[in-house]
Amino acid sequence: MEKKKELADAKAVLFKRLYGVKPRTFENMLSILQREYDALHKKGGKPSKLPVKDKLYITLKYLREYRTMDSIAAEYGVCKGTVCLSIQWVEDTLAKDGTFSLPGKKVLKRTSASIQYIVVDVTESPINRPQKGQRAYYSEKKRHDPGHH
């Protein structure tokens, strides 16, 4: 019996190392997400490309390993947009539930003496780039052309 407990503990330690949460926390997150997913799709609708469990795994991998959405998308056989939407849905759903919410700035300011760590979210965010045909709309004032006055 001792050997089974040791094996279960070792698996729990490995799981925490891989995903950043204990298996029990993962199961709590999964039940919240599954309940919300079932409520959203109670009346039908297009099923998701990924099961709820995979969406949670993707989110935890993304946050834990600092992997790009492209590499996760390749691993799961979906597009980057699906990964992005999955991560956003998981984060928003868990935040809305409140069970796993972090304290806000006001709490941090009040308890600054007892703060040991501050986590900064540096996740990927899209950058606005110029459109391909933008040169046609480029201001003439900025371009020096000796033929124009």
Side-chain angles (χ1 to χ4, degrees):
M1 196 64 154
E2 288 284 323
K3 201 68 169 164
K4 281 187 179 182
K5 175 140 177 42
E6 284 179 28
L7 185 60
D9 289 344
K11 285 183 179 180
V13 169
L14 178 61
F15 189 89
K16 173 115 170 58
R17 195 174 305 144
L18 289 174
Y19 298 106
V21 296
K22 294 178 182 177
R24 185 177 181 102
T25 305
F26 180 88
E27 291 301 324
N28 289 341
M29 290 175 160
L30 185 59
S31 68
I32 291 166
L33 295 170
Q34 192 64 55
R35 188 172 54 240
E36 180 66 19
Y37 181 85
D38 291 344
L40 285 172
H41 293 84
K42 187 166 53 172
K43 295 181 181 176
K46 185 177 176 185
S48 177
K49 292 180 181 178
L50 293 168
V52 175
K53 195 172 198 173
D54 284 352
K55 289 181 181 193
L56 182 54
Y57 276 127
I58 283 171
T59 302
L60 294 174
K61 283 181 181 184
Y62 178 74
L63 296 172
R64 179 79 174 162
E65 300 173 8
Y66 306 109
R67 290 177 58 187
T68 64
M69 290 181 190
D70 288 320
S71 72
I72 295 172
E75 179 182 338
Y76 282 85
V78 295
C79 67
K80 178 182 173 183
T82 300
V83 170
C84 183
L85 289 173
S86 296
I87 291 169
Q88 288 174 350
W89 179 78
V90 167
E91 289 177 339
D92 292 346
T93 303
L94 291 175
K96 185 175 79 174
D97 181 72
T99 304
F100 299 101
S101 63
L102 295 172
K105 290 180 187 176
K106 292 178 183 176
V107 174
L108 291 175
K109 286 180 182 177
R110 274 188 275 141
T111 60
S112 61
S114 65
I115 294 176
Q116 293 179 354
Y117 301 99
I118 294 180
V119 179
V120 180
D121 181 12
V122 292
T123 54
E124 291 180 41
S125 56
I127 298 172
N128 292 329
R129 303 231 185 256
Q131 300 297 318
K132 288 185 178 181
Q134 185 180 8
R135 186 161 198 109
Y137 302 105
Y138 190 73
S139 173
E140 290 293 327
K141 293 178 188 174
K142 294 180 184 175
R143 189 176 349 152
H144 178 68
D145 187 357
H148 291 277
H149 295 298

